Amino acid sequence: MRSLSCCVLLALALLGPSTAAARKCDLQGLWRNELGSNVTLSALDAAGTFSGSYHTAVAATNKKILVSPLQGTQQHPGTKRQPTFSFTVQWQFSDSATAFVGQCFVDHRGKETLETTWLLREEVPSRRDAWKATRVGTSTFTRIK
Ligand code: BTN
């Protein structure tokens, strides 16, 4: 019995951090949300900032959708297994601004998911219209590459 538990401990130690359960959630890659929007995120730099591009599948305007750049930061890069992050998208076809905040989750099989909440601020002609200028929503991204 004692040697069995010894073997189990040894196996766990050898498998170590490469097991799916211990893997860190990695923002870098290509992601898709429930609307069909595609997001590419770069690797983090030393400060934990990243860039990328957002190809939205839907828009609040009637203008032709263009792939748009994004800038973001991850909290405590390299130390957290399921880190929080935020990014803003600079839409190339609209005057709106969107900010995403979220957390990168990894399950026991190593499958990663970005759970986010977003705020979309639309440009309105006057302060009187400010009450209707902001939309809020949640979005889940799964890795496609
Ligand atoms: C605009 O319509 O003015 C810019 C495009 C906004 C797209 C929004 S951002 C939140 C939501 N999630 C998406 O993937 N697309 C929409």
Side-chain angles (χ1 to χ4, degrees), residues 33-119:
N33 71 9
E34 64 290 330
L35 297 168
S37 299
N38 290 330
V39 178
T40 303
L41 302 180
S42 73
L44 304 183
D45 67 15
T49 67
F50 60 87
S51 57
S53 60
Y54 202 114
H55 190 177
T56 183
V58 297
T61 71
N62 288 324
K63 301 208 180 116
K64 182 180 152 46
I65 289 171
L66 298 174
V67 177
S68 299
L70 66 84
Q71 297 288 338
T73 57
Q74 181 184 307
Q75 287 300 105
H76 307 301
T79 63
K80 297 283 184 178
R81 196 171 84 86
Q82 301 194 122
T84 57
F85 63 90
S86 60
F87 65 81
T88 55
V89 187
Q90 190 181 9
W91 301 112
Q92 299 295 288
F93 59 95
S94 138
D95 300 314
S96 304
T98 307
F100 287 79
V101 289
Q103 187 170 354
C104 189
F105 290 101
V106 55
D107 73 10
H108 63 285
R109 290 201 171 92
K111 182 176 188 258
E112 294 160 305
T113 307
L114 306 181
E115 290 292 347
T116 69
T117 302
W118 52 264
L119 284 173

